Amino acid sequence: MATSRRRSALTSRADDFPRWYQEVLEKAQLAENGPVRGTMVIRPYGYSLWERIQSEIDARIKRAGAENVYLPLLIPEDYLKREAEHVEGFSPELAVVTHAGGKELTEPLVIRPTSETVFGELMAKWIQSHRDLPLLLNQWANVVRWELRPRLFLRTSEFLWQEGHTAHAGYGDAAAYARRIHLDVYRDFLRSVLALPVLVGVKTARERFAGAINTMTCEAMMGDGKALQVATSHELGQNFARAFDMTFSDAEGRRQLCWTTSWGSSTRLVGGLIMGHGDDSGLVVPPRLAPTQVVVLAVKDDAGVLAAAREQCAQLDRAGVRVRVDDAVDRGFGRRVTDWELKGVPLRIEIGPRDVEAGQFNIVRRDTGERVPTAAPATAQAVPELLETIQNDLLTTAEDQLANRTVHTESIEEAREAAQVGFARIPWRILGVGGEKSLATDAITVRCLQTADGHIPQDTSASDVMAVVGRSY
């Protein structure tokens, strides 16, 4: 197979990774800054990626038994104050409405930074008996957290996400459900659709979600070796249930406090897609996620070429492939190829007069640049298999990078050095709270605590628990 690579006018990732990221956002037409500092305008192609992410995650959430709702954007300030640790954790990030309708409000309203408190108020009203449990809810919404150093898709003052909130009759049920969401929804989506391997584990007390008794995280490695937290699941214990009097009558008629969870993922996943798979030519989108899996390019303004391109598109569409024709032959072919490479479409099929005459088309892989000559009648059958190959290859490549840039260490100084270029694993009994604080002075954080074999630990005080440390976004 021949290989074809055109270079877009992007800064090399090796030369300046942050600048490369910004250029991809602009040139692939994903997003741009909004009129208010820290806000984001998501352009159509960027939003199409988010819609695909939404669809895949939402289907998994529903398979786990949760139902979608929508709750108000504005929250009475009093709600947040009822859970002291929660409001303290979010106070620096809150946006507060003090005037409306031309008058000063008697009570300030908070624009939701997350919705544990308003869910707590409503769930307390909806739950009366043990027969009402478990109550499994999710909402797709926007939230506002005032960011001092915004970066599109990674940290913006307003972003889109889903947030799940559940109530259970016992601690065991709540903990098991939070773990189910974490593994069967988030980890499964990240690996099987986004083709990103993630480290799963729990956060330390320093990094735990405000008001939670336990936070589980999915940590992905980006192309520059830094970590990105891409999803979290929280066991909230009875903290919010106590604050909002969320009780139920058990089978013996006694009043009991509920146990609650919350969990979320956001448009940060688009940033993870860009930085996890992108190369010096732009985005590389895994086929299972791609809004357009194949683009059929007509090379020239020729009646036979245009007819062949449209027929090929129709055949692929019938085969269940997400496909579109690029017949903008008034634009240069090279420029069109570069644009599609920037957008990361997994496959393109190039059709010119000679290809029509020979009855053979070139299928070009975005991830490797390989050209696969294919007989025209066999193209529609070859494409689905090739898309699956690309999906699997992207995961393998990402797994190799994660393994190659993760180092086992036995001292804090070794971990500090290794975290400059990737992840370090160090026994938690060696690092401890003191070592965590020491690494933080160099902007190195504990991304998660894991068992020695990479699973979520039941007990973080066990001797085999490992800390994964690194720099992060």
Side-chain angles (χ1 to χ4, degrees), residues 101-146:
K103 297 180 180 180
E104 184 173 357
L105 298 174
T106 56
E107 179 185 7
L109 302 175
V110 173
I111 300 176
R112 62 177 168 229
T114 179
S115 300
E116 275 75 10
T117 57
V118 69
F119 267 96
E121 178 76 10
L122 291 168
M123 291 166 82
K125 182 171 68 174
W126 297 340
I127 296 168
Q128 300 299 322
S129 163
H130 64 94
R131 297 181 183 86
D132 299 322
L133 297 172
L135 182 57
L136 312 174
L137 304 175
N138 176 68
Q139 81 164 340
W140 291 92
N142 62 335
V143 291
V144 172
R145 300 178 185 177
W146 214 251

Side-chain angles (χ1 to χ4, degrees), residues 347-359:
L347 288 176
R348 69 177 187 269
I349 300 174
E350 301 173 354
I351 302 179
R354 292 180 182 175
D355 303 307
V356 173
E357 184 178 344

Side-chain angles (χ1 to χ4, degrees), residues 237-441:
Q238 294 179 308
N239 293 340
F240 288 88
R242 187 172 294 108
F244 290 91
D245 194 28
M246 193 189 304
T247 63
F248 65 97
S249 176
D250 67 17
E252 285 74 41
R254 296 169 299 192
R255 298 305 294 176
Q256 303 281 358
L257 274 176
C258 295
W259 296 79
T260 65
T261 79
S262 68
W263 25 275
S265 60
S266 74
T267 38
R268 172 177 281 205
L269 289 166
V270 180
L273 164 69
I274 299 167
M275 296 192 298
H277 292 305
D279 61 20
D280 285 355
S281 295
L283 272 174
V284 178
V285 183
R288 292 181 192 166
L289 180 73
T292 299
Q293 295 173 309
V294 179
V295 59
V296 181
L297 281 94
V299 175
K300 290 186 177 181
D301 186 4
D302 175 274
V305 167
L306 294 171
R310 289 163 186 157
E311 174 57 27
Q312 190 60 64
C313 182
Q315 289 183 25
L316 289 168
D317 182 65
R318 289 193 291 270
V321 175
R322 295 187 292 277
V323 60
R324 62 178 291 180
V325 170
D326 180 346
D327 55 5
V329 290
D330 55 326
R331 298 181 63 228
F333 178 70
R335 180 67 260 174
R336 288 188 286 146
V337 167
T338 298
D339 288 346
W340 289 113
E341 287 194 333
L342 277 165
K343 292 181 182 293
V345 172
L347 288 176
R348 69 177 187 269
I349 300 174
E350 301 173 354
I351 302 179
R354 292 180 182 175
D355 303 307
V356 173
E357 184 178 344
Q360 180 173 281
F361 304 147
N362 279 311
I363 306 176
V364 187
R365 290 178 56 162
R366 171 62 183 86
D367 60 325
T368 64
E370 291 174 331
R371 305 178 74 86
V372 186
T374 307
T379 302
Q381 289 75 39
V383 163
E385 183 177 345
L386 192 50
L387 289 171
E388 277 301 292
T389 298
I390 293 170
Q391 182 79 32
N392 295 330
D393 287 354
L394 286 174
L395 179 60
T396 299
T397 298
E399 287 176 328
D400 289 345
Q401 175 185 251
L402 178 59
N404 294 336
R405 299 181 76 167
T406 301
V407 178
H408 182 86
T409 61
E410 291 289 340
S411 74
I412 294 173
E413 288 312 307
E414 286 179 0
R416 192 189 311 272
E417 181 179 354
Q420 304 303 318
V421 294
F423 294 168
R425 298 187 89 225
I426 178 173
W428 178 233
R429 57 183 167 76
I430 293 176
L431 182 64
V433 174
E436 181 181 19
K437 185 176 180 180
S438 172
L439 291 179
T441 62

